[in-house]
Amino acid sequence: QKEVEQDPGPLSVPEGAIVSLNCTYSNSAFQYFMWYRQYSRKGPELLMYTYSSGNKEDGRFTAQVDKSSKYISLFIRDSQPSDSATYLCAMSALISNFGNEKLTFGTGTRLTIIP
Amino acid sequence: EPEVTQTPSHQVTQMGQEVILRCVPISNHLYFYWYRQILGQKVEFLVSFYNNEISEKSEIFDDQFSVERPDGSNFTLKIRSTKLEDSAMYFCASDIPGGSEQFFGPGTRLTVL
């Protein structure tokens, strides 16, 4: 079983729709859960991160973590054409006593918002 | 807003040549990382660096790879003898202690011919 699994899509929705992006994971050592947005041939841009089960909201974006089910989600409300990008889930585990962490990424979901 | 920068944006090299990819992390960050993304594949961890030494490396990061922080601002990734399969986007990232938010640079596209 892969450490992090993400539906690669592609996913196309009309403008204004609610988008749900999901990842599952198998490694119980993961402590932090992140969503990155990546435009074509650019670096990943951090959207949200959380470390506890529950919801975290930032504007039109809500990140949800369920540690008991090893499942995380990103919801985008009132989706806009500018939200069209690849969305990467990432999870981190401590890799040393110094507190630095290694990110394990999902494969990314390519999202297109149709005007 | 502070950001991670990387140079060059695109590097073309012949197989067997050495390349050095450069990164300037965010100034108050202390943890530094390299990741790579082969076209169409996921972002993969290569190495992490803290306090002038490697703290973790992946199985990809073999003896052909090395990292260095030659001064107070730059962080470099060297590939000694490039192979065709090294062609990828290479991303540098940095983080503060306890931050858990790694900020990525725009990447260097490495093409090995």
Side-chain angles (χ1 to χ4, degrees), chain B residues 27-65:
Chain B
S27 62
N28 64 333
H29 287 188
L30 298 179
Y31 300 145
F32 312 116
Y33 308 85
W34 284 100
Y35 292 82
R36 81 170 185 191
Q37 186 176 32
I38 295 171
L39 187 64
Q41 297 186 26
K42 66 178 181 179
V43 177
E44 299 175 289
F45 169 80
L46 289 178
V47 66
S48 71
F49 191 86
Y50 170 72
N51 200 29
N52 283 320
E53 60 184 43
I54 290 173
S55 51
E56 176 84 0
K57 59 184 180 179
S58 72
E59 62 275 9
I60 303 168
F61 194 90
D62 61 23
D63 292 344
Q64 294 300 312
F65 291 86

Side-chain angles (χ1 to χ4, degrees), chain A residues 36 38 95 98 100-101 103, chain B residues 31 33 35 37 48 55 102:
Chain A
Y36 284 84
Q38 186 178 29
I95 54 178
F98 303 115
N100 52 339
E101 297 164 4
L103 294 183
Chain B
Y31 300 145
Y33 308 85
Y35 292 82
Q37 186 176 32
S48 71
S55 51
Q102 292 184 23

Side-chain angles (χ1 to χ4, degrees), chain B residues 72-86:
Chain B
S73 60
N74 289 283
F75 180 51
T76 62
L77 174 69
K78 182 193 291 185
I79 309 175
R80 264 182 272 282
S81 178
T82 50
K83 307 184 194 70
L84 295 176
E85 55 265 36
D86 293 328

Side-chain angles (χ1 to χ4, degrees), chain A residues 7-108:
Chain A
D7 184 347
L11 181 62
S12 294
V13 301
E15 183 177 353
I18 295 174
V19 176
S20 171
L21 304 167
N22 310 295
C23 287
T24 59
Y25 64 96
S26 58
N27 187 348
S28 298
F30 289 140
Q31 297 180 303
Y32 291 89
F33 305 90
M34 284 137 281
W35 286 95
Y36 284 84
R37 178 171 60 195
Q38 186 178 29
Y39 294 109
S40 181
R41 302 193 176 208
K42 301 292 184 187
E45 171 196 6
L46 181 64
L47 280 177
M48 298 184 73
Y49 89 98
T50 186
Y51 59 88
S52 57
S53 284
N55 294 348
K56 181 177 180 180
E57 194 172 311
D58 184 2
R60 297 184 295 110
F61 297 88
T62 299
Q64 185 178 81
V65 174
D66 182 346
K67 287 188 175 181
S68 61
S69 301
K70 295 190 174 65
Y71 187 91
I72 71 169
S73 298
L74 178 71
F75 299 97
I76 307 173
R77 289 187 301 280
D78 187 25
S79 55
Q80 305 293 311
S82 57
D83 295 329
S84 297
T86 296
Y87 289 80
L88 312 173
C89 64
M91 306 179 189
S92 71
L94 280 175
I95 54 178
S96 78
N97 293 328
F98 303 115
N100 52 339
E101 297 164 4
K102 154 186 153 180
L103 294 183
T104 302
F105 283 85
T107 51

